[in-house]
Amino acid sequence: MSEDHPPALTFDALVLDLRRMLIKTPQVYSNKSIPSLKRFTSTLAKIEETRCYDLLGKQFGFNPSELNGAIALARTTVEYDEQVVSCIQALRKDQPSLIIVAMSNISNPDFDAIHTRWGPAFWPLFGEVFPSSAVGMRKPTLGFYRHVLKVHWDRSPEDHLCG
């Protein structure tokens, strides 16, 4: 007696979140977390980075220069998850026509830092990368997802499977 298996899912594209899927954050930061407001304000290029540190320092009780130092340290120490990269490489090998794109809530200076740091061994994994600072929207804003999907796949919303 054979078991009935559901049909395998077929897909031609994969959208990954850089932060959730790929970035390993070192455990060298202070117990105070860096407020996400920093990313919100500088991502959308509303204010200069140093002004952002000053405002966050006042609002959350951080010394702006310590916050600047923590961000600078993060930019020079953050790594990508090599296991996830291996999985993406295996997907690419098994499905060469698969479109893989990445999106991330990230400021221009942070993106520039990891773009340079991770170099040509990492970025060719993706057909395109969508930093929120370049798009002008952030996750979980639905418009950000719509933008990414529309750039590559102009289909009806029912054709998209999101997870």
Side-chain angles (χ1 to χ4, degrees):
M1 183 180 203
S2 71
E3 291 183 30
D4 287 332
H5 294 285
L9 286 177
T10 59
F11 54 95
D12 58 3
L14 181 63
V15 179
L16 299 174
D17 179 349
L18 281 179
R19 182 170 167 241
R20 299 276 184 230
M21 295 291 296
L22 295 168
I23 295 178
K24 296 187 321 186
T25 305
Q27 298 299 314
V28 296
Y29 305 108
S30 74
N31 290 334
K32 289 185 177 182
S33 63
I34 298 168
S36 63
L37 181 59
K38 182 264 175 191
R39 289 194 176 104
F40 177 76
T41 52
S42 61
T43 294
L44 298 179
K46 302 281 185 200
I47 59 177
E48 291 294 319
E49 198 169 9
T50 53
R51 176 75 175 130
C52 182
Y53 297 148
D54 290 340
L55 292 172
L56 289 171
K58 288 177 186 171
Q59 184 173 357
F60 293 100
F62 283 100
N63 176 324
S65 64
E66 288 178 12
L67 182 58
N68 185 13
I71 298 291
L73 178 62
R75 288 179 183 156
T76 61
T77 58
V78 70
E79 297 289 344
Y80 57 83
D81 188 321
E82 292 178 17
Q83 286 183 307
V84 174
V85 168
S86 292
C87 290
I88 295 169
Q89 289 168 333
L91 271 173
R92 281 227 172 270
K93 184 177 180 183
D94 291 343
Q95 299 181 40
S97 64
L98 180 66
I99 298 168
I100 302 175
V101 299
M103 57 192 300
S104 185
N105 288 342
I106 192 167
S107 68
N108 279 328
D110 293 343
F111 182 73
D112 291 345
I114 66 167
H115 194 272
T116 300
R117 182 172 164 75
W118 295 350
F122 180 81
W123 298 108
L125 292 171
F126 307 101
E128 191 163 357
V129 178
F130 295 90
S132 58
S133 55
V135 175
M137 294 177 268
R138 293 178 47 83
K139 299 179 285 106
T141 303
L142 190 55
F144 191 7
Y145 294 96
R146 284 183 178 144
H147 172 80
V148 171
L149 294 173
K150 188 167 180 76
V151 166
H152 284 280
W153 310 280
D154 194 15
R155 301 179 186 162
S156 68
E158 296 81 27
D159 289 344
H160 302 293
L161 174 64
C162 299

